Amino acid sequence: MKKFDNVTILDHPLINHKIAILRSVDTHTKDFREIVEEITTLMTYEAFKDVPTREVEVVTPLEKCAQRMVAENCVAVVPVLRAGLGMVSGVHTLFPTAKVGHIGMYRDEQTLQPQEYYCKLPDGIEKMRTVVLDPMLATGGSAAAAIAQLKKRGCKDIRQMSIIAAPEGVEKLATAHPDVKIYVAVLDRCLNENGYILPGLGDAGDRLFGTK
Ligand code: PRP
Ligand code: URA
């Protein structure tokens, strides 16, 4: 795959260990959901490295000191329904004050084009850093459409966080939105003829919510 400046592939042994469990057909809903949450927490640590901070004064038992804490009202995460929902609690573990917006999107099974069916975003989101959450970046169509929707609402500082990506999806998203930083835990081989990531993990929404 071509190299893009706005793409970070974490490829971390501790995350890869968890992804191996996630991929397995023998991993069932409860464990699948917990591992998605854990991986998201680990990814949050990396993707939020440059989160805005503010200075505060803290009194220790010995003296006063200036410290930095995360700024308030500065970040919104936007899960793409359904599967992105599984990542929200993973972000909140490290960043409990992150606001949450929701974008509902499903892929048309024939055309693979994203169809938006829901959008509810926090007031003032245009002033916040927004992080789109979706475990799967396949053709990149859903992520590109979600980001276009955020831009339409005036958002300027936008990131994408996905667990597994196909090269096709990364290329599409990085080209369509070169201003968006993309964080991916692992890059897989390719898409199959139905737009599923290989080796992938199957349908993330179905595996998270037990619908098949
Ligand atoms: C899955 C996944 C992404 C999308 C990725 O959602 O959660 O949103 O496909 O594919 P793309 O990169 O080719 O757009 P799906 O459409 O299956 O909806 P669901 O989460 O409700 O199952
Ligand atoms: N959506 C999924 O849930 N899995 C894929 O492999 C591709 C799209």
Side-chain angles (χ1 to χ4, degrees), residues 80-83 105-107 112 117 134-143 203-206:
V80 176
L81 311 184
R82 294 174 297 163
M105 198 91 78
Y106 72 90
R107 293 196 310 178
L112 299 182
Y117 59 86
D134 196 327
M136 308 305 276
L137 184 61
T139 65
S142 303
D203 187 301
D206 285 337

Side-chain angles (χ1 to χ4, degrees), residues 83 107 134-139 164 191-192 194-206:
R107 293 196 310 178
D134 196 327
M136 308 305 276
L137 184 61
T139 65
I164 299 184
L191 296 175
N192 73 7
N194 298 317
Y196 276 82
I197 300 175
L198 296 174
L201 50 69
D203 187 301
D206 285 337

Side-chain angles (χ1 to χ4, degrees), residues 58-64:
V58 173
V59 185
T60 80
L62 301 176
E63 63 177 14
K64 283 183 190 164

Side-chain angles (χ1 to χ4, degrees), residues 17-189:
H17 176 94
K18 290 182 188 293
I19 291 175
I21 303 170
L22 205 59
R23 290 186 195 278
S24 170
V25 74
D26 294 324
T27 299
H28 297 295
T29 306
K30 176 176 179 289
D31 290 339
F32 191 91
R33 202 181 297 137
E34 286 173 5
I35 296 167
V36 166
E37 186 178 328
E38 288 167 8
I39 293 170
T40 306
T41 301
L42 294 170
M43 293 187 74
T44 300
Y45 182 77
E46 179 65 27
F48 286 72
K49 246 180 185 169
D50 58 348
V51 73
T53 58
R54 64 191 164 97
E55 190 170 301
V56 294
E57 188 180 81
V58 173
V59 185
T60 80
L62 301 176
E63 63 177 14
K64 283 183 190 164
C65 59
Q67 293 287 290
R68 298 212 69 82
M69 292 181 78
V70 174
E72 278 155 24
N73 297 324
C74 66
V75 171
V77 291
V78 182
V80 176
L81 311 184
R82 294 174 297 163
L85 282 178
M87 298 175 76
V88 175
S89 53
V91 175
H92 277 157
T93 297
L94 289 184
F95 199 159
T97 57
K99 310 272 184 207
V100 185
H102 296 87
I103 295 183
M105 198 91 78
Y106 72 90
R107 293 196 310 178
D108 180 293
E109 284 182 9
Q110 306 306 324
T111 64
L112 299 182
Q113 292 306 305
Q115 313 292 320
E116 186 181 311
Y117 59 86
Y118 186 76
C119 183
K120 176 79 181 168
L121 301 172
D123 287 348
I125 192 168
E126 66 284 351
K127 292 189 220 78
M128 300 177 198
R129 171 172 301 174
T130 53
V131 185
V132 175
L133 304 177
D134 196 327
M136 308 305 276
L137 184 61
T139 65
S142 303
I147 288 167
Q149 175 65 272
L150 292 176
K151 287 184 174 175
K152 214 159 81 185
R153 298 290 185 102
C155 298
K156 289 176 189 65
D157 180 355
I158 306 174
R159 290 157 193 229
Q160 169 78 26
M161 197 153 93
S162 292
I163 296 177
I164 299 184
E168 295 90 327
V170 174
E171 289 205 30
K172 175 174 174 151
L173 189 58
T175 307
H177 296 287
D179 54 316
V180 171
K181 286 192 181 161
I182 302 167
Y183 296 88
V184 165
V186 72
L187 186 67
D188 271 10
R189 196 171 74 248

